[in-house]
Amino acid sequence: MQVEVVKSKIHRVTVTESNLAYIGSITIDEDLMDAANIIAGERVYIVNNNNGERFDTYTIPGERGSGMICLNGAAARKVQPGDVVIIMSYATMPFEEAKTFKPAVIFPDTATNRLVN
């Protein structure tokens, strides 16, 4: 049996911009992507804590250390700059492996979107 479990989570970051004219996706500071074990092009699920929207898209690496969280394309309609979001990805694995799997979960500073030491 295969089960889907949380693989990665960026808990509570602030949207820095939204770009309706872009093709699509979410641009995330590459430092955050690395820390959360998320790769370019990976499907992610986004929960907007301000308005309850839940949606999915794919990732694009943003400038390292910038704190950038930018929703692009149609997803830009689901957020406003200043909204706080949670970004998650999931992985499918065998049931027994899933029992002991530990996801990469990070808690950046919500004011700056930078990693807290």
Side-chain angles (χ1 to χ4, degrees), residues 43-62:
R43 182 181 190 179
V44 291
Y45 298 85
I46 299 155
V47 177
N48 186 328
N49 286 355
N50 291 75
N51 64 19
E53 288 281 357
R54 299 174 75 88
F55 55 96
D56 65 319
T57 189
Y58 63 92
T59 59
I60 293 178

Side-chain angles (χ1 to χ4, degrees), residues 5 8-9 16-17 22 26 46 63-65 81 87 95 98 112-113 116-117:
V5 298
S8 304
K9 182 177 180 183
T16 57
E17 58 187 288
Y22 195 78
I26 182 171
I46 299 155
E63 181 182 345
R64 284 189 183 280
I87 303 165
F95 182 76
T112 65
N113 292 342
V116 180
N117 293 338

Side-chain angles (χ1 to χ4, degrees), residues 13 24-26 32 35 47 50 53 56 61 66 77 86 88 98-100 102-103 108:
V13 285
S25 69
I26 182 171
L32 298 177
V47 177
N50 291 75
E53 288 281 357
D56 65 319
S66 66
R77 295 226 184 255
I86 298 169
M88 300 166 285
K99 286 180 178 181
T100 58
K102 300 291 184 230

Side-chain angles (χ1 to χ4, degrees), residues 13-17 26-28 32 67-71 87 113:
V13 285
T14 301
V15 174
T16 57
E17 58 187 288
I26 182 171
T27 305
I28 303 172
L32 298 177
M68 174 182 272
I69 301 292
C70 179
L71 276 300
I87 303 165
N113 292 342

